[in-house]
Amino acid sequence: MDIDRHRFRRSASRITVLAHALGVTALSLLLVWLLHYREGINLDSDNASRVFNVHPFLMFFGFIFFAGEAAMAYKTVQAERKVQKFTHMLLNLIALVLGIVGIHAAFKYHNMINLKHMFSLHSWIGMGTLCFFILQWLFGFAMFMFPRSSNSSTRERGLLWHVCAGRALLYMAICAAETGLMEKASTLKLMDSRESHLVNFTGLTILLFGITVDLSIALARYI
């Protein structure tokens, strides 16, 4: 059993490092696209494109990246349980706040160009993910940050649902990101160009980030 634990710990560590690297790579690719090809990022700009660019930036870096880091922080970082829980909660709270700002940027952009809200599959998945994420955070905060509010058996059952819901929400967020990139590429009519290839590689890297985060969490269960 000790040999198995050592093997799982080593595998989880390697995949966690890979997940961090993929997250940073996806962020770098996204920034190259938004800054080099799409005019920059500025929520207070009169340029509608710059306002919109806040949305994909914060929905990945602020929401998906921080949520993934929060999950790995609880499962793979060697620290006291209280430190793990607090770090997990704080990173998820940051993800939530930045995700709300990212959604606000999309609505502001729609108002600037007189575009209807919530008309696409991307917007439905994204808004649904954010709403469920809020409920997930409130559930976790109430049950696990205040252990006296429930008995141990209730927390044990709730933990299973909390973990499963968190993993599902991560994939829902990634699905929203992928459909968002596809929708924007279609709107811009990007064909076989360097920009279209960059968008594709960005989407692929975001997907791989989510997969490696999930694998890291799954392997960490056996440590």
Side-chain angles (χ1 to χ4, degrees), residues 201-215:
F201 276 115
T202 302
L204 181 61
T205 310
I206 290 173
L207 176 60
L208 292 175
F209 170 71
I211 292 173
T212 50
V213 167
D214 195 36
L215 286 174

Side-chain angles (χ1 to χ4, degrees), residues 14-68:
R14 289 175 177 174
I15 294 176
T16 301
V17 171
L18 179 59
H20 292 316
L22 286 168
V24 172
T25 301
L27 175 61
S28 301
L29 292 173
L30 185 63
L31 285 173
V32 170
W33 179 47
L34 297 177
L35 298 178
H36 181 68
Y37 289 98
R38 294 289 111 206
E39 304 182 55
I41 304 170
N42 188 349
L43 184 60
D44 296 322
S45 175
D46 294 328
N47 185 326
S49 294
R50 291 182 177 178
V51 172
F52 171 82
N53 290 343
V54 175
H55 176 67
F57 173 69
L58 286 184
M59 297 318 293
F60 174 69
F61 177 63
F63 193 62
I64 296 175
F65 183 77
F66 271 102

Side-chain angles (χ1 to χ4, degrees), residues 61-213:
F61 177 63
F63 193 62
I64 296 175
F65 183 77
F66 271 102
E69 292 294 325
M72 291 189 293
Y74 184 73
K75 282 292 186 179
T76 64
V77 174
Q78 300 298 314
E80 293 183 7
R81 184 53 60 90
K82 289 183 179 180
V83 175
Q84 289 177 325
K85 290 199 312 186
F86 179 78
T87 303
H88 178 73
M89 180 218 47
L90 181 61
L91 290 175
N92 273 317
L93 179 60
I94 293 172
L96 178 58
V97 172
L98 294 180
I100 291 173
V101 177
I103 294 290
H104 165 70
F107 276 84
K108 182 176 181 179
Y109 168 74
H110 290 172
N111 290 333
M112 292 177 73
I113 64 171
N114 297 316
L115 185 66
K116 186 178 179 180
H117 300 303
M118 303 298 297
F119 66 90
S120 67
L121 177 62
H122 162 68
S123 61
W124 289 14
I125 296 173
M127 186 60 73
T129 301
L130 184 67
C131 291
F132 281 120
F133 193 91
I134 292 172
L135 294 177
Q136 166 83 340
W137 190 89
L138 291 173
F139 171 81
F141 183 78
M143 179 162 286
F144 303 115
M145 295 304 292
F146 296 99
R148 292 183 180 179
S149 63
S150 58
N151 57 51
S152 58
S153 61
T154 301
R155 289 196 302 274
E156 186 175 348
R157 291 195 300 270
L159 179 61
L160 177 61
W161 286 102
H162 185 68
V163 172
C164 291
R167 293 169 70 176
L169 283 168
L170 178 63
Y171 279 112
M172 287 174 65
I174 290 171
C175 183
E178 303 294 348
T179 54
L181 290 173
M182 290 177 62
E183 181 180 313
K184 191 62 177 179
S186 299
T187 302
L188 296 173
K189 294 181 171 59
L190 300 181
M191 302 300 289
D192 188 14
S193 63
R194 289 184 177 179
E195 184 176 0
S196 66
H197 294 162
L198 177 60
V199 172
N200 289 342
F201 276 115
T202 302
L204 181 61
T205 310
I206 290 173
L207 176 60
L208 292 175
F209 170 71
I211 292 173
T212 50
V213 167

